[in-house]
């Protein structure tokens, strides 16, 4: 899978996305077949590398930006890109900062971004390309039709992966009810949820870059991702072995940080659960019950926590009588009946789905 776009770059891309005033100004520069070098930020670090030019301090407008781009120097914007601070500035970054660029404008842009915590936008006059620099990252902006095509392909891939996740999740539910769960069944669901999340992360980057043109894609992404993060968290809560230095948050973070090759290795994924004594994928394991209890409507997390703490495993919870459940603090007879009926319906539907 491609490397993920950093939060800093995503924030920068939002500034230059379609619908943003800065993007309109950049498009005007491209249409006029001009080049430009724009720094989003006018703090002391930026001013220290500025030479010449003139102070403007005027409200930003796309028209002003394109007019100022007719001059050779860089344009300095306020951090929120709502004002144009300076224009026709000569930037003098540290020449010892490494750069892989060849053109003068792009070399300057990369050096400034690598040495100062600002967003730098370079518009190529010859290649008609807009490139965004943040830190060590460079992101050339893609034409909207290409981005939309890529986003639609990603949505199709995500839908296939989500369908597969739903299948393995339903299978896990049936196995939990029948007390036949193995480590392999658990880590397969975790692997699939992480794959779905990573495809969604890549798609989210395209949506940011699409700006107002990505609203329909965003709606489809939100629909496809509904419940995935909750499913992932509940599976980990059900099976991971907590230690003094290994808690739920550590397990979730370690799972998210797995490399692509490690994610494809079920034994590596299972190691995130810190299961005691074995990495045998065919070893039997028992869920605590968080996952199925969370599927019962209007059952608060505090009650779920209390039930799991009282009984310890899903099988014991399912065998508990209404009176047993009523004895748990905060449950009450009405809620106990609801829990008992809810688990019975989940058990029936899970088994029917598995064998249908």
């Amino acid at each position: 899978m491609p490397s993920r776009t950093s939060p800093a770059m995503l924030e920068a891309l939002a500034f230059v996305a379609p619908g943003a005033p800065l993007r309109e100004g950049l498009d005007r520069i491209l249409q006029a077949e001009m080049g430009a070098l724009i720094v989003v930020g006018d703090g002391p670090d930026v001013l220290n590398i500025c030479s010449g030019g003139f102070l403007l301090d005027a409200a930003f407008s796309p028209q002003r930006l394109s007019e100022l781009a007719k001059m050779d120097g860089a344009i300095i914007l306020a951090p929120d890109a709502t004002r144009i601070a300076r224009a026709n500035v000569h930037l003098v970054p540290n020449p010892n900062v490494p750069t892989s660029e060849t053109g003068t404008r792009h070399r300057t842009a990369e050096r400034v971004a690598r040495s100062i915590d600002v967003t730098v936008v370079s518009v190529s006059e010859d290649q008609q390309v807009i490139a965004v620099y943040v830190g060590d990252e460079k992101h050339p902006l893609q034409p909207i039709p290409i981005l939309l095509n890529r986003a639609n392909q990603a949505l199709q891939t995500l839908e296939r992966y989500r369908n597969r996740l739903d299948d393995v999740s339903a299978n896990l539910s049936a196995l939990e009810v029948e007390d036949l769960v193995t480590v392999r069944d658990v880590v397969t669901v975790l692997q699939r949820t992480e794959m779905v999340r990573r495809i969604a992360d890549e798609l989210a980057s395209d949506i940011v870059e699409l700006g107002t043109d990505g609203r329909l894609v965003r709606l489809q992404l939100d629909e496809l991702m509904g419940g995935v993060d909750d499913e992932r968290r509940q599976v980990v809560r059900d099976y991971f072995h907590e230690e003094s230095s290994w808690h739920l948050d550590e397990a979730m973070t370690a799972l998210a940080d797995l490399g692509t090759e490690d994610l494809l290795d079920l034994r590596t994924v299972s190691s995130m659960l810190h299961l005691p004594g074995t990495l045998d994928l065919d070893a039997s394991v028992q869920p605590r019950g968080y996952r199925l209890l969370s599927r019962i409507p209007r059952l608060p997390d505090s009650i779920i926590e209390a039930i799991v703490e009282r009984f310890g495993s899903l099988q014991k919870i399912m065998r508990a009588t209404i009176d047993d459940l009523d004895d748990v603090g905060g449950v009450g007879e009405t809620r106990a009946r609801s829990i008992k009926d809810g688990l019975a319906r989940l058990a029936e539907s899970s088994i029917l789905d598995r064998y249908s």
Side-chain angles (χ1 to χ4, degrees):
M1 293 181 184
S3 59
R4 303 181 195 181
T5 306
S6 70
M9 178 57 80
L10 288 176
E11 184 178 350
L13 291 178
F15 271 115
V16 297
L22 180 53
R23 178 56 178 266
E24 184 181 344
L26 295 174
D27 287 340
R28 283 174 171 268
I29 294 171
L30 280 181
Q31 290 165 6
E33 297 183 349
M34 298 185 297
L37 181 59
I38 301 164
V39 178
V40 185
D42 61 346
D45 290 341
V46 175
L47 298 181
N48 285 340
I49 63 169
C50 290
S51 174
F54 56 88
L55 178 66
L56 192 61
D57 193 24
F60 177 90
S61 72
Q63 294 83 357
R64 280 183 178 145
L65 186 72
S66 60
E67 288 298 320
L68 292 170
K70 294 177 180 179
M71 296 180 284
D72 291 334
I75 301 170
I76 311 298
L77 304 182
D80 59 0
T82 59
R83 299 191 69 78
I84 303 175
R86 295 172 180 268
N88 199 29
V89 172
H90 179 57
L91 296 176
V92 191
N94 185 349
N96 295 321
V97 174
T99 174
S100 58
E101 299 288 359
T102 54
T104 303
R105 182 179 288 123
H106 297 294
R107 290 171 68 86
T108 301
E110 187 169 39
R111 281 185 170 137
V112 171
R114 285 183 169 181
S115 56
I116 302 176
D117 184 20
V118 292
T119 297
V120 185
V121 182
S122 175
V123 182
S124 172
E125 183 175 355
D126 296 330
Q127 299 179 357
Q128 292 286 286
V129 172
I130 302 171
V132 181
Y133 297 84
V134 176
D136 293 331
E137 291 183 85
K138 174 186 176 182
H139 189 101
L141 298 187
Q142 299 292 329
I144 297 305
I146 292 178
L147 274 178
L148 282 173
N149 183 56
R150 190 168 73 187
N152 287 327
Q153 290 179 345
L155 281 173
Q156 293 174 10
T157 302
L158 180 60
E159 185 175 6
R160 290 196 300 270
Y161 272 73
R162 178 60 199 263
N163 289 337
R164 178 56 181 155
L165 170 59
D166 289 343
D167 289 342
V168 297
S169 177
N171 183 61
L172 178 61
S173 297
L175 293 172
E176 286 178 343
V177 169
E178 297 180 275
D179 196 19
L180 297 174
V181 182
T182 65
V183 175
R184 186 186 305 276
D185 302 316
V186 176
V187 296
T188 297
V189 173
L190 286 178
Q191 181 192 62
R192 288 290 168 175
T193 57
E194 191 59 34
M195 287 179 174
V196 166
R197 289 181 71 253
R198 295 187 184 193
I199 296 171
D201 284 346
E202 293 299 324
L203 186 53
S205 174
D206 287 341
I207 290 173
V208 171
E209 191 173 342
L210 281 167
T212 54
D213 293 331
R215 288 173 294 189
L216 292 179
V217 180
R218 165 63 70 184
L219 289 174
Q220 294 176 74
L221 174 62
D222 290 344
E223 183 179 3
L224 286 171
M225 288 301 293
V228 171
D229 286 334
D230 287 341
E231 173 80 0
R232 175 174 173 267
R233 186 175 184 83
Q234 299 299 357
V235 170
V236 175
R237 289 183 77 194
D238 258 348
Y239 294 97
F240 94 109
H241 181 67
E242 188 167 17
E243 300 170 0
S244 59
S245 60
W246 192 251
H247 304 288
L248 178 64
D249 289 341
E250 282 81 6
M252 300 288 286
T253 300
L255 183 62
D257 290 342
L258 283 177
T260 303
E261 291 185 4
D262 289 335
L263 184 61
L264 296 176
D265 185 349
L266 291 180
R267 284 186 171 81
T268 302
V269 178
S270 69
S271 69
M272 301 299 101
L273 299 175
H274 277 213
L275 296 172
T278 181
L279 282 179
D280 180 8
L281 294 178
D282 295 318
S284 297
V285 287
Q286 281 196 335
R288 294 182 177 90
Y290 288 110
R291 181 168 163 272
L292 285 191
L293 284 173
S294 68
R295 297 185 177 186
I296 297 175
R298 297 179 294 281
L299 191 60
D301 289 342
S302 59
I303 299 298
I304 294 175
E305 191 70 47
I307 293 172
V308 172
E309 185 176 352
R310 171 69 178 274
F311 295 101
S313 72
L314 176 63
Q315 288 301 313
K316 289 182 180 179
I317 295 171
M318 295 186 69
R319 289 196 296 266
T321 64
I322 292 176
D323 289 338
D324 293 334
L325 292 169
D326 187 14
D327 288 340
V328 178
V331 174
E333 183 179 354
T334 301
R335 182 170 280 160
R337 291 183 182 279
S338 175
I339 293 169
K340 193 70 177 173
D341 292 343
L343 287 175
R345 286 194 297 270
L346 287 170
E348 182 180 0
S349 62
S350 298
I351 293 174
L352 285 175
D353 287 343
R354 185 184 182 203
Y355 293 107
S356 60

